[in-house]
Amino acid sequence: MKRATYAQVGVDIDIEAAAAKILYEASKKTWENRKDLLGEVVVPFDDFAGLRFVRIDKLPAGTVMFGGSDGVATKAELAERAGKFDTLAFDLMAMVCDDAVIRGGEPALLKSVLDVNTLGKDSSRLPIIKQLAKGYVAAAKVAGVAIINGELAQLNDRMGDLKNFHLEWSADVTWFAHESRLITGYDVSPGDSIVALEEKGLRCNGISLVRKILKDRYGEWENETLGKTKLIEQALLPSKIYSPVLLDITGGYRLAKKPLARLHAAAHISGGGIPEKLGRILRASGFGASLDNLFKPCDLMHHCQELGNVTDEEAYRTWNMGNGMLLITPDPQAVIAVAKENKVNAKVVGTIDKKPGIRIVSRGYHKPGTELLFK
C-alpha cells in the first residue's frame, strides 16, 4: 500500500515552520513600538512557540480595555493578481486599528491569522511570506502596535486550486483607553464641523463590486490601464492608517499626553459607506449632517460607476468615495493641523445640523453637484 503523507495534500510541515519563523522574526521587530508604554511585551523565552505576556499590574485607575477583529477580505485577491503582497498589512491594520481609535482607544497589541491554500513542497512561496512580513513591520510602526501572536494554517483545497497561491488574512487588536476620554457621540452638537481625512484608494470595502464590474467588462483585467496606471495598481493601493492622527487629537489612554483638539465623534468609512457609518454615530445625538465639500473619489471608483452604471447613491453606500474617516469637532482647524503634521490630507467637508438625515452634495460620476438625501 502506498504511504500517504501530509505533504501530498499540500501541507508541508517543514515549509510551514519556515514561514512561521519568518513572521515571528518580523513580529519581534514590532515589539519596540510599545516599549515603555502600556502593552510593552515581556519575553521570558524567545521562541515563536514560547511564552510572552504584557504586564497590567500597574494600570492607572480609569483605564479600560477592549478589542476588535477584522480582515482584508477580498483585497487578498488583488494582491494575488498583482503578485505583490508587501502592502497588504497596511490594509489589515487600518481595518482593526482605525476602528479602535474612533472610540478613543489606543491600539496596542495585535494578533493575526494567516490562512493559505498551500505553501507548496519547496521554498518557492516563502518570498511571498517575506513580502507579507515586510509590510507587517512597516504597518505596525505606523499604527504603533506590537504583534504578539500569529497563526499560520494551510487549508489545502478548501481555498481553491493548489496551483495558484491563495490567502486570507485577519487580525484581532487589543486597545486601551482612559474612561474619561472615550468617545460616545453624545457631545455632538449642531454647528460642529465635520472634517474628512482623505483616502485615495479603496481601503477594504466594496471590492467585490469592483471585481465584478471589472471582470464583466475586461475579463482578466489586471493588466488593463486607466490613464497611465494599471487598474490592479489602483485597486491595490494600501489603506491609509489614521490611528496616529486620532491619538494625537485625543491623547490616547495616557492622561499625561495632552489632547490637541476636541473630538465629539468619529466615523471610520468602511462597509456601508458614509450613510451607514456616519449615521451610526449620529444616533446618539439624533442630529443630522450636511456634507457639501467632500473629497473627490479616486478615478477607479468613477470608472467602476461608469462601467457598471452604479448610481451615486449606491456608490456612497458601498465605497469610501475619497473620505476614509469623518471627524466631528468644534475645533476644525486644530484637527486639520494635526492631520497635516501626520501627512494626512484633511479639510472641513460639512456641518452637524438639527434636521435628521444625511445630505451629501455628490462628487460621484453620474450626478456631481446634486444633493443626495439619506434618511
Side-chain angles (χ1 to χ4, degrees):
M1 180 182 297
K2 185 178 180 180
R3 292 182 178 178
T5 66
Y6 214 2
Q8 288 174 353
V9 294
V11 182
D12 188 298
I13 297 172
D14 293 331
I15 297 298
E16 183 173 309
K21 190 174 190 304
I22 290 169
L23 293 175
Y24 174 69
E25 292 299 324
S27 71
K28 286 170 62 176
K29 296 177 182 178
T30 73
W31 297 349
E32 187 69 22
N33 298 336
R34 301 304 302 177
K35 187 171 178 59
D36 297 325
L37 300 173
L38 181 55
E40 182 173 6
V41 181
V42 181
V43 188
F45 175 45
D46 186 10
D47 181 78
F48 68 84
L51 176 66
R52 48 194 171 275
F53 55 82
V54 175
R55 293 193 185 280
I56 59 172
D57 53 348
K58 295 182 180 180
L59 290 181
T63 303
V64 296
M65 180 188 80
F66 197 58
S69 305
D70 209 337
V72 299
T74 58
K75 197 158 189 178
E77 182 188 309
L78 305 185
E80 293 163 13
R81 283 179 174 270
K84 188 176 188 301
F85 300 88
D86 59 345
T87 63
L88 207 54
F90 282 83
D91 301 296
L92 181 67
M93 293 188 199
M95 292 304 100
V96 292
C97 295
D98 288 352
D99 272 354
V101 292
I102 62 172
R103 288 302 185 183
E106 179 170 333
L109 306 171
L110 187 135
K111 297 177 286 185
S112 70
V113 177
L114 175 63
D115 291 330
V116 304
N117 58 343
T118 177
L119 292 168
K121 299 179 181 180
D122 54 33
S123 61
S124 60
R125 288 184 174 175
L126 290 183
I128 295 174
I129 305 302
K130 291 178 180 178
Q131 284 192 50
L132 292 170
K134 179 182 178 182
Y136 221 26
V137 176
K141 186 173 181 62
V142 174
V145 297
I147 302 167
I148 58 169
N149 200 10
E151 292 295 328
L152 171 63
Q154 299 183 75
L155 302 186
N156 197 257
D157 55 5
R158 290 284 292 176
M159 290 182 64
D161 68 276
L162 300 185
K163 179 181 178 181
N164 301 298
F165 181 77
H166 302 292
L167 71 94
E168 293 179 357
W169 209 7
S170 61
D172 298 324
V173 71
T174 299
W175 57 260
F176 300 97
H178 194 276
E179 194 169 7
S180 65
R181 290 181 172 178
L182 291 175
I183 302 171
T184 63
Y186 288 113
D187 297 329
V188 171
S189 301
D192 280 350
S193 295
I194 304 173
V195 174
L197 304 183
E198 186 179 24
E199 174 57 77
K200 296 183 178 180
L202 299 175
R203 295 184 79 74
C204 285
N205 302 101
I207 292 176
S208 291
L209 180 56
V210 170
R211 290 166 48 240
K212 180 184 186 305
I213 290 169
L214 296 180
K215 182 178 180 180
D216 288 348
R217 173 61 177 84
Y218 298 111
E220 297 300 321
W221 55 269
E222 56 264 30
N223 290 318
E224 299 291 336
T225 60
L226 180 60
K228 296 181 180 180
T229 308
K230 286 185 177 181
L231 289 174
I232 189 63
E233 292 176 12
Q234 297 190 35
L236 192 56
L237 194 71
S239 301
K240 195 76 174 176
I241 297 175
Y242 301 117
S243 295
V245 177
L246 273 289
L247 290 177
D248 281 349
I249 290 172
T250 66
Y253 75 90
R254 289 164 285 173
L255 293 182
K257 184 177 179 181
K258 183 180 178 181
L260 298 181
R262 290 174 292 171
L263 186 63
H264 287 168
H268 180 196
I269 310 305
S270 50
I274 290 176
E276 168 61 24
K277 295 303 185 180
L278 181 58
R280 184 181 298 178
I281 66 169
L282 290 176
R283 290 173 195 160
S285 66
F287 298 124
S290 295
L291 301 164
D292 59 4
N293 189 36
L294 289 168
F295 282 107
K296 181 183 176 181
C298 67
D299 290 342
L300 180 57
M301 290 178 187
H302 271 179
H303 189 55
C304 287
Q305 276 197 266
E306 179 186 12
L307 295 181
N309 194 27
V310 179
T311 67
D312 288 6
E313 290 86 352
E314 181 69 11
Y316 275 101
R317 284 192 173 103
T318 304
W319 299 313
N320 62 68
M321 296 296 278
N323 308 271
M325 192 170 280
L326 297 179
L327 309 181
I328 300 175
T329 175
D331 303 323
Q333 295 310 313
V335 167
I336 291 170
V338 173
K340 183 178 180 180
E341 187 69 22
N342 284 276
K343 299 180 180 179
V344 174
N345 290 332
K347 66 177 181 177
V348 175
V349 297
T351 57
I352 299 297
D353 46 45
K354 293 182 179 180
K355 188 176 180 180
I358 296 173
R359 286 157 291 281
I360 294 175
V361 175
S362 177
R363 299 204 68 180
Y365 176 80
H366 296 289
K367 297 189 292 185
T370 301
E371 184 175 275
L372 310 176
L373 175 61
F374 300 90
K375 294 182 179 180

